[in-house]
Amino acid sequence: MKHKIDIEHRMSDTKLLWHMDRVRAFYDRGERITPILINIGATKKCNLRCVYCYGIFQQRKNAIIEREPLLKLFEHAPKLGVRSMEIIGDGEPTLNPHIYDAMDIGKKNGLDMAFSTNGVLLDSDEKRENVLRNCVWMRFNLSAGTREGYKKIHNYDGFDKVTENASRMIELKKEKEYGCEIGLQAVYVPWLMNKEMIEESKLAVRLGVDYLVIKQCSLPDGNEGVADVKFNVDDYDNPKIVRILKRCEGMSTEDTKIIVKWSHLEQKGRRPYNRCVDVPLLFQVSGDGKCYPCGYLFGNEKFCYGDLNKNSLEEILSSEKYWGIVKQMIEEFDVHKDCKGSCRHDKCNEFIWNYLNNKPKGINFI
């Protein structure tokens, strides 16, 4: 079968077992290392206003990373040892006209890349093929399965346009045999989107995407959404909500897997670790070019590593300021008090925390 346990594992866990050279270099030997992965927002602008938007919390503004520093980043990062780049940040990447040239340069230099978009402006074969030939995976951020739901959730009448763009993307992938995995991602707000999750699951199967992943809403401000939506995280435990999500899972086919991120829904922002210990492995860039340990800290100058508009990645990674912030995150930053919401660092932090602090008895009995 096309879809085995692998795809579910990839959506819900970390792959640090395949990067133990970097893990051991830093955590066992104390060497200064290069991050494995960079998450980058190519811009802080967006053409939608989704009701659950985390980017609004991240101080969205009219900013992009200009052409020269952006292309320089994609050229130099793999030469420094960065292995992958996720174009997945605090804005809509297709609003930065230089992102396509940047991906060509990244691919030329051996960088693994991924692309996350609302899909509205992925409206030409030239743009679509750029993503398909350069990326390991790409996904459409879509949290509705009907036109009415799309207008209510994304505050834009773009459902037909996005689904047409996605359909053409899949056609091109098949026609030219691109290896890029194509998916949909839904941020699920219970009660508001119950019908939409069911309809989007049907849509995913009709389109023939590789997967639809249904994830939790991140909560940077207690139990409230960041825009117009309020809900309680305990709603994810409601029997009706669970039945809806299991119904969605049940629509999976051999070609299209519907994946519910149960572990994240159940975690509800709680963390089985005390410090942000994985920050040397995962580097994040805001859409204005400023660099931070994580998206929650975007705009907090105290935790700003540097600015790609002023400094190269190499200069930032070799600076004492960068390593001082890394040290602070690992030794002082209290994730239970100083951070909120679900986090991209969660699974890596859990892995490293256990690696450092929770070695099981009898480890040689494999």
Side-chain angles (χ1 to χ4, degrees):
M1 288 181 64
K2 177 180 178 181
H3 290 290
K4 300 180 182 178
I5 193 171
D6 170 67
I7 193 167
E8 293 187 60
H9 178 72
R10 284 188 281 125
M11 296 294 172
S12 302
D13 212 339
T14 176
K15 306 170 201 71
L16 282 178
L17 281 172
W18 287 269
H19 299 279
M20 292 304 294
D21 58 332
R22 202 75 52 104
V23 170
R24 291 193 179 101
F26 180 76
Y27 298 98
D28 293 346
R29 300 194 296 274
E31 299 172 10
R32 290 188 172 185
I33 61 170
T34 302
I36 297 168
L37 167 66
I38 292 178
N39 284 164
I40 178 172
T43 178
K44 290 182 79 72
K45 297 190 291 184
C46 192
N47 47 355
L48 303 185
R49 187 178 173 84
C50 308
V51 296
Y52 51 77
C53 181
Y54 197 92
I56 295 170
F57 167 78
Q58 293 169 315
Q59 303 173 18
R60 180 159 288 155
K61 57 186 178 183
N62 190 32
I64 67 169
I65 302 177
E66 296 296 340
R67 179 179 178 83
E68 184 178 346
L70 186 67
L71 269 57
K72 188 177 180 181
L73 173 66
F74 278 71
E75 178 185 0
H76 291 175
K79 294 178 180 178
L80 294 172
V82 175
R83 293 169 178 169
S84 60
M85 190 93 72
E86 287 181 337
I87 305 157
I88 197 173
D90 47 344
E92 169 50 43
T94 58
L95 289 171
N96 188 325
H98 312 301
I99 194 62
Y100 301 104
D101 288 342
M103 287 195 290
D104 280 337
I105 289 173
K107 180 75 170 183
K108 181 180 177 181
N109 285 279
L111 192 63
D112 278 351
M113 288 171 289
F115 196 77
S116 182
T117 174
N118 61 39
V120 173
L121 295 178
L122 212 56
D123 53 5
S124 73
D125 282 357
E126 181 181 7
K127 295 175 185 176
R128 297 176 190 122
E129 286 206 63
N130 182 288
V131 175
L132 287 170
R133 71 171 176 264
N134 286 321
C135 291
V136 176
W137 58 265
M138 70 83 57
R139 70 181 182 217
F140 291 86
N141 296 318
L142 177 66
S143 296
T146 67
R147 186 178 180 189
E148 290 113 7
Y150 188 95
K151 285 192 287 186
K152 180 170 66 174
I153 293 160
H154 296 287
N155 282 294
Y156 177 70
D157 187 6
F159 181 75
D160 294 339
K161 181 185 294 186
V162 171
T163 52
E164 286 169 11
N165 291 345
S167 180
R168 179 57 184 155
M169 196 104 182
I170 293 159
E171 288 176 1
L172 281 171
K173 174 184 174 177
K174 292 177 180 177
E175 287 172 10
K176 303 202 174 180
E177 298 183 341
Y178 288 113
C180 178
E181 196 169 68
I182 300 175
L184 306 179
Q185 175 178 272
V187 176
Y188 178 38
V189 179
W191 313 118
L192 176 69
M193 300 177 185
N194 291 2
K195 174 187 175 184
E196 297 305 322
M197 291 302 96
I198 293 169
E199 294 304 317
E200 187 169 359
S201 298
K202 296 175 183 176
L203 173 67
V205 173
R206 288 199 306 272
L207 287 173
V209 293
D210 292 293
Y211 65 86
L212 160 64
V213 62
I214 301 173
K215 62 175 285 188
Q216 77 292 342
C217 181
S218 293
L219 304 167
D221 190 20
N223 281 350
E224 297 187 356
V226 295
D228 303 322
V229 172
K230 296 181 180 180
F231 72 102
N232 193 306
V233 290
D234 290 332
D235 288 343
Y236 289 125
D237 296 330
N238 186 286
K240 182 177 179 180
I241 301 302
V242 173
R243 284 196 300 272
I244 288 169
L245 292 174
K246 287 188 177 295
R247 181 179 172 186
C248 293
E249 279 186 323
M251 296 183 204
S252 293
T253 68
E254 185 174 334
D255 294 321
T256 301
K257 186 74 175 179
I258 313 297
I259 302 161
V260 178
K261 299 187 81 169
W262 293 109
S263 63
H264 290 76
L265 296 179
E266 292 164 0
Q267 191 171 330
K268 301 184 184 68
R270 296 186 294 265
R271 296 176 171 84
Y273 51 88
N274 296 332
R275 300 285 181 266
C276 198
V277 288
D278 81 324
V279 287
L281 305 171
L282 173 56
F283 188 95
Q284 294 194 236
V285 183
S286 181
D288 58 4
K290 292 186 176 181
C291 308
Y292 302 88
C294 71
Y296 179 76
L297 296 173
F298 281 7
N300 188 331
E301 292 302 313
K302 178 183 175 183
F303 292 96
C304 181
Y305 295 144
D307 187 340
L308 291 171
N309 296 299
K310 300 175 182 178
N311 306 102
S312 69
L313 178 65
E314 184 175 13
E315 289 171 337
I316 293 171
L317 292 177
S318 63
S319 70
E320 293 307 314
K321 180 180 182 181
Y322 169 74
W323 288 105
I325 294 172
V326 167
K327 186 175 187 292
Q328 182 181 356
M329 296 297 294
I330 292 175
E331 297 181 0
E332 301 173 21
F333 190 83
D334 187 338
V335 299
H336 307 298
K337 295 179 180 178
D338 301 327
C339 188
K340 296 178 182 177
S342 188
C343 178
R344 291 193 57 77
H345 291 261
D346 267 338
K347 292 301 178 182
C348 288
N349 269 329
E350 186 175 349
F351 180 96
I352 296 297
W353 186 259
N354 287 332
Y355 180 75
L356 295 174
N357 301 292
N358 294 324
K359 183 185 293 185
K361 183 178 181 180
I363 61 170
N364 293 326
F365 296 93
I366 60 173

